[in-house]
Amino acid sequence: MSASFALTLSGAPFSSLAPLSGLRFASAALALGHKIEQVFLYQDGIYLANAFASQPEDELNLTLAWQQLAQEHSFPLYVCVAGAIKRGLLSESEAQRLSKQRQQKVSANLAEGYELASLAELATMLNSSNIKHLHFS
């Protein structure tokens, strides 16, 4: 019998094992035939979606690993819009809005495959009785 999971990651990839632990769990669950419904990046977990972040070559690129897993298994990678903007993580549309507001060029840095979403996405998932929720912090 397969189960459906939704994951919340709230730990930063550079100071927490949350993104790696979540990735390992998701990979194992998918390999066993379970389904990942969505991943929601919250608080410092949003740094996982920063396209400008760079890590040493001998370390796993968690941003890319999550992108590949999500694409391969067709689940969304949501990023809390309020947390993202507060931490300077911007989609193309948010960067354009800020550029107009500040009257200077602001660049988008949201990695491909990640999308900004409100807490309503998280709340909807939490209210679903047939989806198991796991939080990695």
Side-chain angles (χ1 to χ4, degrees):
M1 185 166 144
S2 69
S4 291
F5 294 96
L7 311 179
T8 302
L9 307 176
S10 62
F14 47 80
S15 62
S16 164
L17 289 176
L20 179 60
S21 297
L23 181 68
R24 287 180 175 165
F25 173 84
S27 297
L30 290 164
L32 292 171
H34 300 297
K35 183 173 181 171
I36 303 298
E37 296 290 338
Q38 72 176 42
V39 174
F40 193 89
L41 306 181
Y42 188 62
Q43 297 173 330
D44 285 346
I46 65 99
Y47 288 117
L48 183 64
N50 187 345
F52 294 165
S54 180
Q55 56 277 334
E57 287 185 23
D58 63 339
E59 291 182 18
L60 175 64
N61 183 329
L62 289 166
T63 301
L64 181 60
W66 273 108
Q67 287 169 319
Q68 292 170 338
L69 191 67
Q71 183 176 20
E72 183 180 336
H73 294 279
S74 302
F75 60 83
L77 296 169
Y78 292 129
V79 181
C80 177
V81 66
I85 293 170
K86 184 187 300 185
R87 290 167 176 82
L89 188 70
L90 305 173
S91 66
E92 197 63 49
S93 62
E94 285 298 322
Q96 289 173 2
R97 183 184 65 78
L98 276 177
S99 291
K100 287 178 186 174
Q101 185 181 58
R102 296 179 180 175
Q103 297 182 354
Q104 66 183 30
K105 174 76 171 138
V106 176
S107 297
N109 59 341
L110 183 67
E112 187 177 324
Y114 294 84
E115 59 183 286
L116 296 182
S118 71
L119 286 175
E121 292 294 338
L122 180 60
T124 300
M125 178 271 304
L126 290 173
N127 284 327
S128 178
S129 61
N130 61 339
I131 298 175
K132 294 170 178 38
H133 175 246
L134 284 93
H135 178 215
F136 296 87
S137 59

